[in-house]
Amino acid sequence: MCSSDLAAAVARASTELVGTCLAPVKPEVLQAIAEADVILFGPGAFYVSIMPNLLLAEVSEAIRASRARKVLIANLMTEPGQTDLYDVGDYVRAIHAYGGFTLDYVVVNSAYGDRVLNERYAASLATPVFAENSAEGSSGRAMRKVGTEDGAIVIAADIASRMAERVPIPAGSRDVPPGGAATTSIAVYRHDPAKLAGVLASLLGVTEPR
């Protein structure tokens, strides 16, 4: 079974085992969805921060009723133990299965130029999230349509940057100073707010006010 088939099977099984939740939703949330021109999903931990919203019955119903354009901002990397081997199509099919609606667009990063950083991610079993049918692979930086996934148009663009992030040093490490915790700086890929905003503005026909 290929990764796409496996992801689809997991999505189907999950929707059969996990039903929608009837927890109350604040009226202003439903009003915001009803009035929205665009609804963005992600980026974030896929099965922890994004998908749970679709399990709220009123929220998923409001999204299905909304005429807003629905856009998934694909994660930069897979999450070990949660989205192993997922490509863009696997994320799209999971959202469609849980939410009962069809995304209009998916924006996926197309530039992973740091070889050393890529190797470090690979060592932690995380891999770049690519559009399966992208002809240019990791080298493309210009915004471009690379195909469709389950009815959603896939847009690839350079939307990430290499950044430094402070993380705790594991307890018991010889690098921790006596009497206190410590942090260290590591390089990571993160969505670049300016790049992502520019791509979304171009995609959705939004111009900055003068």
Side-chain angles (χ1 to χ4, degrees):
M1 180 179 291
C2 70
S3 62
S4 296
D5 293 337
L6 177 60
V10 170
R12 288 195 298 270
S14 300
T15 53
E16 292 173 0
L17 295 173
V18 181
T20 54
C21 175
L22 298 178
V25 178
K26 290 186 175 182
E28 52 263 43
V29 173
L30 301 178
Q31 181 178 352
I33 294 174
E35 296 177 352
D37 295 314
V38 178
I39 300 175
L40 299 179
F41 301 87
F46 192 65
Y47 284 111
V48 176
S49 67
I50 298 175
M51 299 298 274
N53 297 288
L54 301 181
L55 297 181
L56 295 170
E58 289 184 286
V59 169
S60 58
E61 289 171 6
I63 295 173
R64 287 194 294 271
S66 172
R67 300 180 65 181
R69 284 172 289 183
K70 302 169 182 66
V71 183
L72 170 64
I73 309 301
N75 287 341
L76 302 177
M77 292 285 175
T78 59
E79 299 165 274
Q82 296 186 49
T83 57
D84 300 278
L85 302 179
Y86 271 34
D87 63 18
V88 172
D90 297 323
Y91 290 95
V92 172
R93 285 184 287 274
I95 286 183
H96 289 178
Y98 275 83
F101 56 84
T102 300
L103 293 163
D104 294 292
Y105 297 102
V106 185
V107 179
V108 58
N109 185 48
S110 62
Y112 294 88
D114 191 315
R115 181 183 59 80
V116 174
L117 186 51
N118 292 342
E119 291 175 351
R120 185 173 66 76
Y121 271 106
S124 65
L125 304 181
T127 57
V129 177
F130 284 128
E132 190 176 62
N133 53 352
S134 173
E136 295 185 47
S138 61
S139 62
R141 291 181 177 273
M143 176 178 165
R144 67 201 188 280
K145 175 183 174 181
V146 295
T148 61
E149 290 288 358
D150 201 29
I153 297 172
V154 181
I155 302 296
D158 177 9
I159 56 172
S161 289
R162 182 182 186 276
M163 300 181 183
E165 188 170 274
R166 303 295 299 184
V167 298
I169 296 176
S173 170
R174 286 178 293 181
D175 296 326
V176 177
T183 61
T184 187
S185 179
I186 64 170
V188 294
Y189 285 124
R190 289 290 182 263
H191 285 90
D192 186 299
K195 291 181 180 179
L196 184 54
V199 168
L200 289 173
S202 178
L203 176 64
L204 301 171
V206 177
T207 56
E208 295 183 2
R210 295 182 178 179

